[in-house]
């Protein structure tokens, strides 16, 4: 009898502590298991995991826009590679400024931001960093209005690195240091490269930062081969000066183009590098998501976007919007009407 009373007392105490446990966020008041006392229950924290994918990453902007219109406001934002750039802008309230800039990009302006080298990569990234520092407000990651984290890879050890403090721009630069394309970044005495090598869609980071529900965006789900040579029609539409610049770039950068793999000619080393990275990231993404699944997956169809199609922001954003609209019924059912905020004014 005494043992039974002790067991009941322990159960009651544990249940009482569980109902008293508080966390951040708004609360609903519900009846506890005791029937008389009402205990606060927190709303689930929503995490948004924005995946890697080079120029395909502009579709993240369309994803966020649709979520905003639907009243779904993430509490935690994590990004890998290009996802870290869009995610950081969103977490800092600068998404509108970023969207305006990417929609204005042309092939000429993209090439103008590239500082070529053969020391550790094809692009140093210093011009791009200088541009971001001049046009966007840099701050410490911990000072962002939304909780934010980026993923990078330590080059020497291959370990996954979570960037949750320090300069936002430095964290983003480290996260999108695509091997072979951008030179490695240096952070705290370590060489780090693109986080897509180890965690292309950072669901695990969202969970570690406290997300109960994770919405993940996979940009690489339907990648396929691309045409290696510019066809005659595309060559005619490309400005003559730009075509001349691209033809002189190291490793035939100008030969990478969107489209199906119809050419039988030998690809450039840049083509081989980019497509190999795509294959690797697709397989890593599938493996990681199998063990760390998101609650809702958004998969834009972006197979016709090449690695350097940064000048094609409009169609990428539109595809992000389309894919997210398709996922809204599942999102609303999962999150519930009580968790949804009103659409922004």
């Amino acid at each position: 009898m005494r043992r039974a009373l002790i067991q009941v007392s322990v159960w009651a105490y544990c249940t009482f502590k569980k109902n008293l446990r508080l966390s951040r966020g708004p609360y609903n008041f519900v009846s506890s298991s005791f029937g008389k006392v009402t205990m606060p229950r927190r709303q689930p924290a929503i995490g948004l995991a924005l995946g890697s994918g080079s120029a395909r990453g502009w579709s993240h902007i369309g994803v966020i826009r649709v979520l905003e219109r639907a009243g779904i406001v993430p509490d935690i934002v994590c990004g890998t590679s290009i996802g870290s750039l869009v995610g950081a802008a969103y977490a800092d309230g600068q998404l509108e400024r970023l969207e305006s800039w990417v929609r204005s990009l042309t092939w000429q302006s993209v090439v103008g931001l590239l500082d070529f080298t053969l020391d550790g990569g094809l692009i140093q990234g210093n011009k791009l960093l200088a541009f971001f520092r001049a046009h966007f407000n840099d701050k410490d990651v911990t000072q962002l209005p939304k909780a934010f984290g980026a993923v990078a890879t330590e080059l020497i050890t291959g370990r996954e690195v979570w960037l949750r403090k320090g300069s936002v721009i430095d964290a983003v630069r480290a996260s999108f240091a695509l091997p072979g394309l951008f030179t490695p970044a240096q952070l705290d005495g370590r060489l780090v490269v693109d986080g897509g090598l180890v965690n292309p869609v950072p669901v695990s980071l969202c969970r570690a930062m406290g997300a109960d529900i994770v919405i993940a965006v996979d940009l690489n789900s339907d990648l396929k081969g691309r045409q290696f040579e510019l066809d005659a029609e595309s060559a005619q539409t490309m400005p003559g000066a730009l075509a001349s610049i691209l033809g002189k770039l190291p490793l035939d950068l100008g030969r990478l183009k969107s489209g199906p793999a119809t050419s039988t000619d030998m690809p450039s080393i840049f083509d081989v590098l980019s497509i190999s990275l795509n294959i690797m990231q697709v397989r890593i993404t599938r493996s990681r998501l199998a063990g760390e699944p998101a609650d809702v997956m958004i998969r834009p169809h972006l197979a016709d976007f090449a690695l350097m199609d940064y000048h094609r922001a409009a169609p990428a954003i539109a595809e992000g919007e389309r894919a997210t609209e398709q996922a809204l019924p599942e999102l609303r059912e999962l999150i519930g009407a009580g968790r949804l905020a009103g659409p922004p004014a």
Side-chain angles (χ1 to χ4, degrees):
M1 182 68 177
R2 184 178 180 183
R3 182 187 297 271
L5 288 173
I6 292 174
Q7 289 177 342
V8 170
S9 299
V10 170
W11 172 85
Y13 175 73
C14 292
T15 303
F16 183 74
K17 279 193 69 177
K18 180 179 179 181
N19 286 331
L20 277 179
R21 189 169 53 206
L22 300 178
S23 183
R24 38 176 209 166
Y27 296 95
N28 288 331
F29 287 86
V30 297
S31 296
S32 74
S33 57
F34 297 105
K36 295 182 180 180
V37 183
T38 57
M39 299 297 173
R41 183 178 65 191
R42 71 180 179 89
Q43 295 283 8
I46 299 175
L48 180 61
L50 302 177
S52 60
S54 301
R56 296 183 293 277
W58 297 149
S59 64
H60 288 315
I61 298 174
V63 170
I64 294 170
R65 291 305 189 200
V66 172
L67 292 178
E68 285 181 333
R69 291 197 293 266
I72 300 173
V73 182
D75 306 289
I76 298 163
V77 183
C78 298
T80 297
S81 194
I82 188 67
S84 71
L85 172 58
V86 177
Y90 176 51
D92 195 28
Q94 299 191 59
L95 187 64
E96 185 173 348
R97 180 183 296 185
L98 178 68
E99 180 177 357
S100 176
W101 173 63
V102 302
R103 285 184 180 274
S104 71
L105 288 176
T106 62
W107 247 116
Q108 292 95 327
S109 57
V110 171
V111 173
L113 289 171
L114 306 181
D115 42 2
F116 293 100
T117 179
L118 290 177
D119 186 14
L122 292 177
I123 302 168
Q124 288 181 330
N126 293 334
K127 291 176 68 174
L128 193 59
L129 276 182
F131 177 87
F132 283 137
R133 294 191 193 282
H135 294 83
F136 295 90
N137 298 323
D138 191 19
K139 59 185 64 174
D140 195 279
V141 171
T142 59
Q143 297 177 342
L144 294 175
K146 288 183 181 291
F148 172 75
V151 178
T153 306
E154 190 172 0
L155 182 61
I156 304 302
T157 65
R159 289 184 297 188
E160 182 174 342
V161 180
W162 290 352
L163 306 174
R164 298 178 56 185
K165 62 181 180 179
S167 163
V168 171
I169 290 179
D170 287 344
V172 170
R173 168 64 176 88
S175 186
F176 70 56
L178 193 64
L181 184 61
F182 283 96
T183 58
Q186 296 191 31
L187 284 179
D188 300 325
R190 298 179 295 178
L191 289 176
V192 295
V193 293
D194 198 294
L197 293 179
V198 290
N199 196 355
V201 184
V203 173
S204 58
L205 179 53
C206 277
R207 300 280 190 205
M209 293 177 63
D212 301 300
I213 296 173
V214 176
I215 305 167
V217 186
D218 179 11
L219 305 178
N220 305 314
S221 62
D222 69 336
L223 294 186
K224 54 188 178 182
R226 292 172 176 79
Q227 183 172 327
F228 298 129
E229 294 289 351
L230 289 169
D231 57 14
E233 181 179 355
S234 298
Q236 290 175 1
T237 59
M238 183 176 291
L242 178 59
S244 177
I245 293 173
L246 294 177
K248 296 177 181 177
L249 294 180
L251 306 182
D252 290 333
L253 175 62
R255 295 174 62 194
L256 184 64
K257 178 190 175 294
S258 307
T262 57
S263 172
T264 57
D265 294 336
M266 184 62 65
S268 72
I269 188 173
F270 190 82
D271 296 326
V272 173
L273 173 65
S274 63
I275 295 173
S276 298
L277 288 170
N278 286 338
I279 294 171
M280 176 194 67
Q281 289 194 42
V282 167
R283 296 208 176 258
I284 295 173
T285 299
R286 291 175 182 172
S287 176
R288 290 296 299 254
L289 291 178
E292 303 159 346
D295 297 286
V296 177
M297 287 297 308
I298 298 174
R299 292 186 169 97
H301 296 160
L302 301 163
D304 62 332
F305 280 78
L307 186 73
M308 295 296 292
D309 279 353
Y310 290 102
H311 61 295
R312 299 180 60 200
I317 293 172
E319 176 54 23
E321 291 178 332
R322 184 207 62 79
T324 310
E325 291 280 2
Q326 194 173 49
L328 278 182
E330 183 182 2
L331 281 166
R332 291 192 174 104
E333 181 179 357
L334 177 67
I335 297 172
R339 179 65 173 85
L340 299 181

